[in-house]
Amino acid sequence: MNLRLKLPLSILGVFLLSLSACNKNSQNQAGESTTAQTADSSATASPEASIPAKADFQSTVAGKQTDLYVLKNKNQVQAAITNYGGRLVSLLVPDKSGKLTDVIVGFDQIKPFTEGGDTYFGALIGRYGNRIAKGKFSLDGKTYTLATNDGPNHLHGGKVGYSRVIWDAKQNNDSTLVLTYVSKDGEEGYPGTLTAKVTYRLSSANELRIDYEATTDKKTVLNLTNHAYFNLNGAGSGTILDHQLQINADRFTPVDSTLIPTGKLEALAGTPLDFKNATAIGARINDAHQQLKFGKGYDHNYVLATQKSATLKPAATVLGDKSGIYMEVSTQEPGLQFYSGNFLAGKNQIKGGKQDEYRSAFCLETQHFPDSPNQPNFPSTVLNPGQTYKTASVYKFSVKQ
Ligand code: BGC
């Protein structure tokens, strides 16, 4: 049932009075009016967010049905996921005034996801998150060739990858969605039939947990992640430059001009890439530092650990300066790609009729390090038959006044 229908009558009265002041964005996909939640909301307050209409995600792509699945908890937090690329489409969390805010930047219908203009919005990324140099790697003396879909390099699993395939979806209750995808031996050039299972789980403590599991029938490489674009002030609310970010890393993996790691782990202290103490994302983003030039801003892998952890470890925190929404990221992965939306260019119309403006969203992709298959000093991304790839990451939401 739509949350707004549950509003007490008194609030509904305020809604009716202020209806004339609502702007044209106060219509959701189902054509229903949306409204601010609190009695003191001014006419300029943005409307309370809602989940896109399921019907706008029901389509047939490559002979398979796409749909939108909604997880919800007792705190009215809701996560909407489509099985097209296993994408996180919306995540509604309360801001400091209790207003539900959609912190995921992306589209509110399937069409723009399938018809280009895509920047991996919310997608599951596989088989390999981030870049593989020149689209080549070797295993046991055999060289494998992948698509070079990012200048000279391979990015995020190739031309189709996992972000543009239809996952099989199974939702048994309000808190859990299980997605599975079997990638054929040789798909996108990678060896082995890979069976992947990704579980999205929403807890009553406002945690969105993503569990990744996979097995292979041939030796292969694998690095799964999620490419959610966050704006903790709300999708379409402007840049993320005043968000406060903290990352639990002392080192990062510096890159060359094509964003391939040099192989070194370098100290962050004293550089504008250091987020050991919470700092505004925009405070140093335009500093004259070669790594920031190469990334056109932040687009770097932070070293959380030198190997995968057996348990979840705190990786990063982010505070939305306007909303007070506070996100804590924890992961078993050794790396975290912090990407400050430098390639967003206002070309895509996103939710609520807004544009995906430059640096209006950030990603924190939990992962193994980029180009690990070609970097003997990095933690291994090899998966052997008989082994099970298993890793988890959690995004937890609360507010700070
Ligand atoms: C990469 C960026 C890339 C972006 C695409 C990030 O994970 O690090 O370089 O442009 O994904 O959305």
Side-chain angles (χ1 to χ4, degrees):
M1 186 190 201
N2 192 308
L3 278 174
R4 291 182 307 281
L5 299 180
K6 293 184 194 157
L7 287 175
L9 281 177
S10 56
I11 296 177
L12 199 60
V14 175
F15 160 57
L16 289 172
L17 282 173
S18 59
L19 194 60
S20 59
C22 284
N23 65 27
K24 65 177 167 28
N25 290 327
S26 59
Q27 292 263 316
N28 69 9
Q29 284 303 310
E32 301 157 322
S33 296
T34 60
T35 184
Q37 182 190 26
T38 52
D40 60 357
S41 296
S42 72
T44 53
S46 57
E48 189 166 42
S50 59
I51 292 290
K54 206 171 154 64
D56 286 338
F57 280 86
Q58 290 169 331
S59 181
T60 307
V61 179
K64 290 192 171 178
Q65 298 297 308
T66 61
D67 210 332
L68 190 70
Y69 301 85
V70 181
L71 307 179
K72 44 186 131 181
N73 72 10
K74 64 179 173 47
N75 311 319
Q76 304 192 333
V77 169
Q78 296 181 69
I81 296 134
T82 174
N83 59 330
Y84 178 72
R87 289 163 187 254
L88 180 60
V89 169
S90 282
L91 182 56
L92 308 189
V93 297
D95 72 2
K96 63 186 174 191
S97 68
K99 189 178 83 176
L100 283 181
T101 303
D102 191 346
V103 295
I104 300 297
V105 171
F107 304 121
D108 48 15
Q109 46 188 299
I110 191 85
K111 233 175 152 200
F113 279 117
T114 58
E115 291 185 357
D118 182 20
T119 51
Y120 303 96
F121 283 136
L124 291 179
I125 303 291
R127 295 189 189 187
Y128 201 92
N130 215 279
R131 293 174 175 78
I132 295 181
K134 311 233 174 343
K136 285 197 190 308
F137 67 94
S138 300
L139 282 175
D140 296 336
K142 183 163 189 258
T143 299
Y144 294 92
T145 302
L146 314 167
T148 46
N149 56 331
D150 185 69
N153 303 316
H154 176 81
L155 177 68
H156 293 331
K159 291 197 168 133
V160 177
Y162 282 10
S163 54
R164 288 177 173 271
V165 296
I166 316 305
W167 292 67
D168 290 327
K170 199 156 192 244
Q171 182 174 10
N172 289 330
N173 53 44
D174 277 351
S175 62
T176 311
L177 176 71
V178 180
L179 299 173
T180 47
Y181 178 69
V182 180
S183 162
K184 293 192 186 77
D185 185 12
E187 192 170 307
E188 291 280 7
Y190 290 95
T193 308
L194 198 101
T195 304
K197 176 168 119 178
V198 176
T199 307
Y200 281 96
R201 208 173 265 123
L202 180 64
S203 80
S204 55
N206 298 354
E207 295 155 323
L208 183 70
R209 177 181 168 120
I210 312 179
D211 280 279
Y212 303 85
E213 251 185 69
T215 52
T216 183
D217 63 0
K218 263 189 203 164
K219 190 170 184 172
T220 191
V221 296
L222 183 62
N223 187 25
L224 302 180
T225 190
N226 174 278
H227 206 298
Y229 280 77
F230 295 97
N231 184 321
L232 300 186
N233 291 333
S237 68
T239 77
I240 42 77
L241 297 175
D242 290 330
H243 282 49
Q244 294 279 325
L245 169 69
Q246 190 268 331
I247 304 179
N248 286 333
D250 294 315
R251 291 181 295 175
F252 75 118
T253 52
V255 288
D256 67 15
S257 61
T258 71
L259 301 186
I260 292 295
T262 61
K264 292 191 191 127
L265 307 189
E266 259 175 39
L268 287 160
T271 76
L273 286 91
D274 186 13
F275 282 92
K276 203 68 196 281
N277 298 313
T279 310
I281 291 175
R284 302 158 300 171
I285 198 166
N286 295 319
D287 279 14
H289 189 282
Q290 194 178 48
Q291 285 297 310
L292 291 176
K293 289 209 174 109
F294 285 161
K296 301 192 169 45
Y298 298 103
D299 195 352
H300 295 88
N301 172 62
Y302 284 73
V303 178
L304 304 170
T306 48
Q307 56 184 323
K308 194 192 134 196
S309 160
T311 55
L312 288 163
K313 292 273 166 61
T317 65
V318 194
L319 176 67
D321 52 297
K322 297 195 187 97
S323 64
I325 293 172
Y326 186 61
M327 179 171 84
E328 293 163 86
V329 182
S330 52
T331 186
Q332 289 178 255
E333 287 299 294
L336 184 72
Q337 186 80 14
F338 168 42
Y339 169 58
S340 52
N342 314 309
F343 297 110
L344 296 178
K347 285 190 191 143
N348 297 306
Q349 184 173 315
I350 55 160
K351 292 170 190 171
K354 305 276 177 59
Q355 299 301 122
D356 62 340
E357 303 295 349
Y358 183 51
R359 295 178 176 163
S360 62
F362 67 91
C363 302
L364 288 173
E365 298 149 71
T366 56
Q367 61 180 17
H368 270 57
F369 305 169
D371 199 32
S372 296
N374 295 309
Q375 301 279 355
N377 298 330
F378 288 178
S380 171
T381 49
V382 171
L383 183 71
N384 287 298
Q387 290 179 322
T388 302
Y389 171 98
K390 227 172 166 193
T391 187
S393 297
V394 172
Y395 301 83
K396 180 174 183 179
F397 295 86
S398 57
V399 287
K400 283 196 170 183
Q401 290 298 331

